[in-house]
Amino acid sequence: MSMYGYRGYTGIDEKCRQALTGETSTNISQIKNKQSNKSQNNNNDESDDEDENPLAQLCHWIEGDSLAPPCGSEIEAIHAMLEMANLKELDVLYDLGCGDGRVCLEAFAPPFGVRKCVGVDIEEDLIARFDELITEIPKEYFFLDSLPPVIKSGEKSTASTVSTTCHGDPVRVIQAVHADLRNVELDEATVICMYLLPEALAIIEDKLVMLLKANKGLRLLCNSWRLSSLEASDSVQVLNASIYLYTHESVHLSGRDS
C-alpha cells in the first residue's frame, strides 16, 4: 500500500468505544497513548512498504489522476474545519478527495457524531485504507441513537455502558467511495469538505456555486486553497493551513446570484 503522506493516522475506534461506555472526553490521555502505540505499530508494519521511498511515491502521485495533495490534513486543522461547519448530528457530510478518510472519520466520531459521512477518492490504496479504518469501528456504534454528553475537563464522569441493539438498519453510516469526484452527485450533502488543489477546485467550482444557490443550509469548507469566484463567509488560520467557509451568503456577496 502506497501511503506516502498519510502515515500516523489510526482512526476513531477508541473514541467510538468510549462513547459506548457513556463517555466522550474522559481518559483522553489513555486514548492518546493507545493511539500512539497503534500508530507506532502501523508504521512498523509498513516499514518495508514502497513509501519508504517518498520520491517514488511523489512521482506516482504526479503521474496519477489525483486532484488532491499527496498528504492528509493535520487533525487540528480537521477539527477547526468541522467546528467552523457548526455540525449537527443529522448533517450529511461529503469529503471530496478524502484520502484515508480522516475528515469523515473525525466527523463521524464523538464529539461531532455526524450520522452520515461519505468520502470520495480516486486512489484505490487510500480508499482501501479508509475501508480498513471503518471496519475497526465497533459495530454497536453504528446503532447508537444519541451520543453521551461531553464531560468537560475536571468534571466527574458518571459513565455507564450504553445499551444498543444491532438489529435493523444502522442509525449511522460512513462510506468510502472509489470514484472521480467530478462525477459524484452531491444533492444530499449539507456539508462538503475539500482539501483540493486550485486546478481541481476550478473544475468543480461552477457546480459548487449551483449547489449553494439551491441549498441555503449548505456549507462548503476548503482547506488551504479557496474558491476563486466566491467570497468566503468566514476563515481561520490553523497551524500552516487556512480554512475557508462558503455559504449561501457567499453567493450573494460575490454577485453570483443570477
Side-chain angles (χ1 to χ4, degrees):
M1 180 182 294
S2 52
M3 295 296 295
Y4 170 67
Y6 286 92
R7 281 187 161 186
Y9 182 67
T10 57
I12 59 170
D13 51 312
E14 291 296 336
K15 290 182 182 179
C16 295
R17 287 191 181 92
Q18 189 182 40
L20 292 168
T21 62
E23 303 178 58
T24 54
S25 64
T26 54
N27 299 324
I28 291 297
S29 61
Q30 182 179 357
I31 286 178
K32 286 183 176 179
N33 288 337
K34 289 182 179 179
Q35 289 177 331
S36 177
N37 292 337
K38 186 177 175 184
S39 175
Q40 184 62 47
N41 292 336
N42 184 58
N43 287 344
N44 289 340
D45 291 342
E46 295 181 354
S47 60
D48 297 325
D49 197 36
E50 62 178 341
D51 65 357
E52 285 299 307
N53 184 348
L55 181 58
Q57 287 305 300
L58 185 58
C59 291
H60 166 77
W61 171 78
I62 291 172
E63 293 171 357
D65 298 317
S66 181
L67 298 173
C71 56
S73 300
E74 296 288 345
I75 298 304
E76 292 90 340
I78 291 173
H79 286 182
M81 177 184 289
L82 298 178
E83 288 168 3
M84 183 178 283
N86 192 25
L87 292 178
K88 305 292 189 295
E89 274 199 61
L90 295 181
D91 272 319
V92 177
L93 183 145
Y94 273 66
D95 183 22
L96 304 182
C98 67
D100 61 1
R102 60 184 64 188
V103 171
C104 288
L105 289 160
E106 292 298 317
F108 192 66
F112 301 104
V114 174
R115 292 195 179 200
K116 183 171 183 178
C117 297
V118 181
V120 181
D121 207 289
I122 201 168
E123 299 289 346
E124 290 187 31
D125 52 354
L126 293 175
I127 286 296
R129 175 58 177 160
F130 188 3
D131 270 326
E132 180 183 348
L133 293 172
I134 291 173
T135 62
E136 294 177 358
I137 301 171
K139 180 181 178 181
E140 293 81 3
Y141 184 77
F142 292 90
F143 294 84
L144 187 60
D145 188 56
S146 61
L147 297 180
V150 173
I151 307 299
K152 297 179 181 179
S153 178
E155 290 183 352
K156 183 178 180 181
S157 170
T158 57
S160 59
T161 302
V162 177
S163 176
T164 58
T165 304
C166 300
H167 299 298
D169 294 329
V171 174
R172 302 173 186 276
V173 177
I174 183 167
Q175 297 174 315
V177 178
H178 178 228
D180 188 323
L181 60 86
R182 292 169 288 195
N183 302 324
V184 174
E185 291 295 329
L186 298 168
D187 291 343
E188 71 168 341
T190 60
V191 177
I192 300 175
C193 297
M194 295 164 285
Y195 183 24
L196 299 175
L197 298 170
E199 52 267 36
L201 291 173
I203 291 170
I204 62 173
E205 186 158 344
D206 286 343
K207 179 179 181 178
L208 297 173
V209 171
M210 292 298 294
L211 288 169
L212 283 174
K213 289 179 180 179
N215 184 352
K216 292 185 177 181
L218 177 64
R219 290 91 80 201
L220 306 180
L221 296 114
C222 295
N223 183 344
S224 298
W225 292 283
R226 66 181 76 195
L227 298 173
S228 62
S229 70
L230 291 182
E231 183 175 336
S233 299
D234 197 5
S235 64
V236 66
Q237 186 78 22
V238 183
L239 301 177
N240 295 321
S242 295
I243 310 297
Y244 303 97
L245 170 68
Y246 299 90
T247 63
H248 184 77
E249 179 188 9
S250 300
V251 178
H252 175 70
L253 291 174
S254 307
R256 295 205 59 179
D257 303 86
S258 59

